[in-house]
Amino acid sequence: MTKADIVSEISKSTGIDKSTVLSTVEAFMDVVKNSLSKGDNVYLRGFGSFVVKTRAQKTARNISKNTTIIIPEHNIPSFKPAKVFLNSVAEK
């Protein structure tokens, strides 16, 4: 499902025009991205949490050049679904 599909579904179910729904969805995504970039997690009860995880420093190998490189510690965004969400997906 794409962003356009999500906008269409929300518009169809609520009766709100697509341009308003699109701006709302994009504003939501901006808020989530900005919060995560500041290190703040986003919690949506009954849906899940957008969290920032820290990946530890590790050693990797470049097989073609037979060299070792060090990948520094870095943060990545992650989504952790709520139990209600997991249960609804598991039932289908």
Side-chain angles (χ1 to χ4, degrees):
M1 183 173 239
T2 64
K3 182 169 49 170
D5 295 336
I6 293 170
V7 169
S8 294
E9 288 290 323
I10 293 172
S11 178
K12 195 184 325 177
S13 66
T14 62
I16 300 171
D17 62 299
K18 287 184 180 182
S19 62
T20 305
V21 173
L22 178 62
S23 63
T24 304
V25 169
E26 288 180 346
F28 170 76
M29 291 188 304
D30 286 339
V31 168
V32 171
K33 283 190 271 186
N34 291 335
S35 295
L36 292 178
S37 67
K38 288 188 252 177
D40 298 332
N41 296 331
V42 178
Y43 302 102
L44 301 172
R45 187 177 300 273
F47 184 73
S49 304
F50 295 93
V51 296
V52 177
K53 289 187 176 182
T54 302
R55 290 278 170 101
Q57 177 177 312
K58 65 181 178 179
T59 304
R61 296 191 47 79
N62 183 345
I63 297 172
S64 62
K65 295 181 181 177
N66 198 23
T67 59
T68 303
I69 59 171
I70 295 176
I71 300 173
E73 180 180 275
H74 59 281
N75 295 328
I76 61 163
S78 178
F79 176 74
K80 182 181 178 187
K83 288 182 182 179
V84 176
F85 183 27
L86 284 174
N87 293 338
S88 68
V89 171
E91 291 174 359
K92 295 185 178 185

